[in-house]
Structure formats: structure tokens, C-alpha cells
Amino acid sequence: MPSFFLPFPQHGEGLLDNLISDQTSEQPDQDLGAIVSEIAGAGLQKESFLRLSYEAYSMVNGPDKLRTLVSDWGVVAGSIPSSADAGAILGYFQMILGDLDAAKATLESSGSSDWASYWLCRVLLGKKMPAEALAIANKFQGASPVSVDFAYVAVEALLQGGDLEGAGKILDSLRSREGESSQFAYCSGMCSESAGDYREAIDSFQRAVEI
């Protein structure tokens, strides 16, 4: 699965088809809170959030269990070493459940940690607030271990705001620094789509899947 594929707010629970196998009903039930604590205790990475969503949605009645976990978040948060990480995870869960307003409030109150800020950008893009997302992303480019992720956020924000030229300049810089990754191909496809070059967009999206 390409590294860029993470649950974005516009997908909501439609991600079930991607995250749940045909054998879900045969899997033993798990303690979602314990899984969250385990993943957070190992230190959050981008892949951590993909695993969090997979673990939640691969359970029987996963969305309902996730909502229950969110409503009782204080119990889980106490087992997570970093309050900033706890806030980032809660905001992320609220986002994939489709409650963008709650996610925005949670992530804004979680400080300026890398992941809280990253998911706040994603929420802002979901709420069609590209200027606000871009302002945050620009603060982290070159100054964060996940600066590349914020650069791609900036590309999406610029495209959403109609600045195709600005998005292309960032992509050119990313290609010279990072090479062509699945995420690069995906964002290139978005640029081509915005420019009306749908054949090139399809080719780029295909490369994103194949890389």
C-alpha cells in the first residue's frame, strides 16, 4: 500500500472497503484501547496512523467501537506517555470518523507538535480552508523530521487554492531532493488533473499505485 494512502476526511467510513478483509467477522475481538497505547508507546510515525485506522476498522463493529473509545478518551489518554501524541491520535480518530469540527478543535488545542499540526492541516483541507493549511505547512517545511509530508500538504493546499504554478514548483523541488515516490506521483496526478490533462493524471495515479 503506497505510503500516501491514509484516511483523509473526505473518505470517512468509505475506507472500510480498503481496510477490512473478507475475514473480519472471523477475527477475535481485541482491546482497541490497549492497541492504541501500544502503538503510541512505540513512538508515532506516519505508518502508526495507518495501523491505528486498520486496527480500528478491521474489528467487528469497528466504527462503533472507535466512537466509544473517543467518547471515553480520558481513560486511554492516561496510558499514552505524551499528551501531544494523545491529542494527535484523538484528533485523527475524530477526523476519520468524519467529525471535522471536533477534530479541528482537538488538534488546535494539542500544541504545535508535528503530528497534531499535520493532521490539523488535513482537517483544514477537508474543510476547504487551504490558506490556513498552507500557513501551518510552511512553518514546518525544512524545520521538522516530517517536513516532506508538510511539503506535500502545501502542494495540495496550493492546488485547492488554485495556484497550480506554486504547487508545481514545490513538486519540482521535491523531485530533485527525494526522487519520484508514490506520494510524488499521486500529487503529480493531482496537478495534471487541475490543469485538465486527464490522461497524464491517470498515468500518474497508476504510477503511484505501482511504485
Side-chain angles (χ1 to χ4, degrees):
M1 182 176 294
S3 61
F4 66 81
F5 185 81
L6 286 168
F8 298 126
Q10 60 266 35
H11 294 295
E13 292 174 17
L15 284 166
L16 288 174
D17 290 340
N18 295 307
L19 295 174
I20 301 178
S21 74
D22 293 335
Q23 305 300 317
T24 296
S25 60
E26 300 177 6
Q27 294 178 358
D29 202 1
Q30 304 174 74
D31 183 341
L32 183 55
I35 293 171
V36 170
S37 298
E38 173 199 338
I39 293 173
L44 292 183
Q45 304 292 329
K46 194 171 185 181
E47 292 75 11
S48 305
F49 292 93
L50 181 58
R51 185 186 166 198
L52 285 168
S53 57
Y54 172 80
E55 294 287 358
Y57 280 96
S58 63
M59 295 179 179
V60 177
N61 300 320
D64 289 337
K65 291 178 180 177
L66 185 55
R67 290 188 189 94
T68 299
L69 184 76
V70 167
S71 67
D72 296 331
W73 187 250
V75 176
V76 180
S79 66
I80 298 175
S82 165
S83 60
D85 286 352
I89 294 171
L90 174 58
Y92 173 75
F93 281 155
Q94 291 168 326
M95 183 187 77
I96 65 174
L97 286 170
D99 192 346
L100 298 188
D101 290 334
K104 180 174 179 289
T106 295
L107 294 166
E108 285 177 336
S109 65
S110 296
S112 57
S113 69
D114 289 352
W115 290 117
S117 297
Y118 176 79
W119 293 116
L120 177 57
C121 286
R122 288 292 176 196
V123 168
L124 292 169
L125 290 175
K127 290 175 68 66
K128 306 301 182 185
M129 301 171 66
E132 291 83 350
L134 182 61
I136 295 172
N138 284 340
K139 293 178 183 178
F140 284 85
Q141 289 190 59
S144 164
V146 293
S147 60
V148 170
D149 296 295
F150 281 103
Y152 282 113
V153 165
V155 170
E156 293 184 44
L158 288 166
L159 287 175
Q160 197 175 102
D163 187 353
L164 181 59
E165 181 179 356
K169 288 180 179 179
I170 295 178
L171 276 181
D172 287 342
S173 175
L174 284 166
R175 176 161 46 189
S176 66
R177 288 158 41 198
E178 305 290 330
E180 183 161 333
S181 63
S182 59
Q183 193 167 14
F184 176 87
Y186 176 72
C187 284
S188 294
M190 293 178 67
C191 284
S192 297
E193 183 180 14
S194 295
D197 189 346
Y198 300 114
R199 171 51 57 189
E200 179 60 31
I202 291 171
D203 290 344
S204 294
F205 292 142
Q206 184 62 42
R207 287 199 305 275
V209 172
E210 294 173 348
I211 292 176

